[in-house]
Amino acid sequence: MSASPRVPLPARVLLLGSGELGKELTISLQRLGCHVVAADSYPGAPAMQVADEQRVLDMTDPRALDALLEECRADLVVPEVEAIATDRLARAEEEGLRVVPNAFAVRATMDRQLIRSLAAPLDAVRTSAFRFASGADEIRAALEVTGLPAFVKPTMSSSGHGQTRIDSADEAERAWERAVRGARADTGRVIVEEGVDFDCEITLLTVRSWDEETRRIRTSFCEPIGHRQKDGDYVESWQPADVSPAALDACRRMARAVTDALADGGGGSALGLFGVEFFVAGDDAWFSELSPRPHDTGMVTLATQRLSEFDLHARAILGLPVDTSLSRPGASAVVKAPRPVERAVYEGVGEAMASGADVRIFNKPVTRTGRRLAVCLADGEDAQAARRTARGAASLIRVIEDPRGDAAAPAVASLDHD
């Protein structure tokens, strides 16, 4: 590729999905002069609060998405969620619309069946044993390949929704029903994965950007991010993760191979940041899954890097130079809703900041117990020190009803300390 993919500034960007990651990305894009139209299924979503324009629609409705694409006429369309009519994106791309990273990558990474089927045959990639299933009987059959324990996940979901660990074939029916309820879209399929005995899970932020000097796309990596999940949803992350050089080299080879395959499937460009997840045990590593956009665990980069993952994504998709270097070790810890409340008030924010952390409140409607509402960020001499600060700060924040809610309840009960 010799023609520069640089987008003239100011660019017009349509953001499909407007959560907390989209909010930070919007800010990064606006700092580069971009005009951002933020779309989501509900009004007042986090990115809408800072975007230049807002649209509310069902993005899984092909006609509604078609109308939005026609109306906005954006220079770039940037998906941030899974629930999108990806076939319509592909058709619009064929007609000249530029989708980030490309329509094929968006479709493949939003469906675990597609991304796993793409990644597993690659020579450089190692995955856990897996099978796809269309019901409880097929889950039980898949266990003969994966063994026990195993994980059953919807092929289209995120943040642990619909995921179940099973230790017996007798749990197949329950796992199937939970997957169906928790799926972002009904594909009629689940993935059954071998339970890997790992030391840690990491996210390797992988950036495909334009190198003006060589006139080629180059792949670069941030330092690995360790993270801990509860019920499939992340509760804390830290950077850098303590990973052996051999394991890190394997992760980089796999991340490059998968992102190259996604680029090839969409015509060879695919600029932007990818959050690639791995299981690591000693010098061994297994590819888990991938997001074609900033990753929730990567919010730690707001404290650790000169260019956060949002800055990196914004620069890369616009064809601008990137710098993935780490400035200082750091950590993030999330604040979750203790229960649904009509109007949330956050107490203890000053105390959390006084403890040495930064606090980012997403200002989401608190519609369900466990919804991610804020994050505490901290840096330190090392990642472990930063983790202690971030977790301590998160434990100080309480979410209560305004103005006459029940007594304040701890919002971070999920942060059971290691």
Side-chain angles (χ1 to χ4, degrees), residues 247-261:
L248 182 57
D249 184 58
C251 290
R252 287 174 173 169
R253 288 198 307 272
M254 287 189 275
R256 185 188 297 273
V258 176
T259 54
D260 282 353

Side-chain angles (χ1 to χ4, degrees), residues 68-294:
L68 178 65
L69 296 174
E70 177 65 25
E71 175 200 352
C72 287
R73 297 189 177 276
D75 297 303
L76 295 173
V77 176
V78 184
E80 196 235 355
V81 296
E82 289 79 10
I84 298 173
T86 53
D87 289 346
R88 286 302 195 269
L89 279 186
R91 189 176 73 181
E93 186 176 67
E94 291 172 359
E95 295 170 353
L97 186 66
R98 185 165 164 189
V99 178
V100 172
N102 59 46
F104 173 75
V106 171
R107 180 169 179 264
T109 55
M110 288 179 179
D111 186 333
R112 284 190 175 95
Q113 181 165 350
L114 288 176
I115 187 61
R116 187 60 68 93
S117 298
L118 174 79
L122 298 174
D123 290 340
V125 175
R126 178 185 186 185
T127 71
S128 60
F130 67 94
R131 286 292 186 273
F132 297 103
S134 299
D137 288 342
E138 291 187 12
I139 291 175
R140 283 186 280 269
L143 296 177
E144 297 180 11
V145 175
T146 65
L148 290 166
F151 289 88
V152 178
K153 306 174 184 178
T155 55
M156 191 172 290
S157 71
S158 63
S159 300
H161 295 300
Q163 175 177 312
T164 303
R165 173 191 162 115
I166 60 174
D167 297 287
S168 165
D170 295 337
E171 300 173 80
E173 192 72 44
R174 177 177 63 87
W176 169 258
E177 291 173 356
R178 184 175 181 185
V180 170
R181 289 195 305 271
R184 286 286 185 96
D186 182 12
T187 65
R189 302 277 278 172
V190 298
I191 184 171
V192 185
E193 295 181 324
E194 171 191 12
V196 174
D197 186 13
F198 56 85
D199 299 329
C200 65
E201 296 179 81
I202 69 165
T203 303
L204 188 63
L205 298 178
T206 302
V207 187
R208 287 174 56 90
S209 62
W210 176 251
D211 187 327
E212 190 67 30
E213 184 176 346
T214 62
R215 308 291 292 177
R216 299 181 65 181
I217 291 173
R218 64 186 292 263
T219 301
S220 52
F221 306 96
C222 298
E223 290 298 310
I225 296 170
H227 56 90
R228 187 168 62 86
Q229 299 185 11
K230 184 170 184 179
D231 298 325
D233 195 14
Y234 116 96
V235 293
E236 64 169 332
S237 64
W238 57 93
Q239 188 187 30
D242 186 12
V243 179
S244 76
L248 182 57
D249 184 58
C251 290
R252 287 174 173 169
R253 288 198 307 272
M254 287 189 275
R256 185 188 297 273
V258 176
T259 54
D260 282 353
L262 290 170
D264 291 343
S269 55
L271 295 174
L273 178 141
F274 297 78
V276 192
E277 294 184 61
F278 298 94
F279 302 118
V280 176
D283 290 341
D284 294 323
W286 295 261
F287 170 78
S288 175
E289 55 190 41
L290 177 150
S291 297
R293 57 185 181 272

Side-chain angles (χ1 to χ4, degrees), residues 289-407:
E289 55 190 41
L290 177 150
S291 297
R293 57 185 181 272
H295 199 271
D296 49 10
T297 63
M299 283 192 279
V300 67
T301 60
L302 291 164
T304 58
Q305 299 184 175
R306 182 178 72 85
L307 296 179
S308 72
E309 65 169 346
F310 309 102
D311 298 325
L312 291 171
H313 196 48
R315 288 188 176 210
I317 66 179
L318 294 168
L320 301 173
V322 302
D323 173 11
T324 59
S325 61
L326 183 77
S327 297
R328 187 169 171 81
S332 75
V334 303
V335 176
K336 293 189 176 185
R339 60 185 177 276
V341 297
E342 283 198 23
R343 185 175 179 182
V345 171
Y346 297 82
E347 295 187 335
V349 174
E351 291 85 346
M353 290 179 171
S355 73
D358 189 12
V359 179
R360 303 289 174 94
I361 296 174
F362 308 143
N363 203 23
K364 291 179 179 178
V366 186
T367 55
R368 59 179 172 81
T369 300
R371 191 170 202 193
R372 193 184 305 149
L373 303 179
V375 66
C376 293
L377 303 161
D379 59 24
E381 291 300 318
D382 56 46
Q384 292 304 314
R387 288 177 72 184
R388 289 191 292 270
T389 300
R391 293 191 301 193
S395 70
L396 296 171
I397 297 178
R398 299 171 300 281
V399 182
I400 64 170
E401 189 83 47
D402 177 34
R404 294 179 299 275
D406 298 331

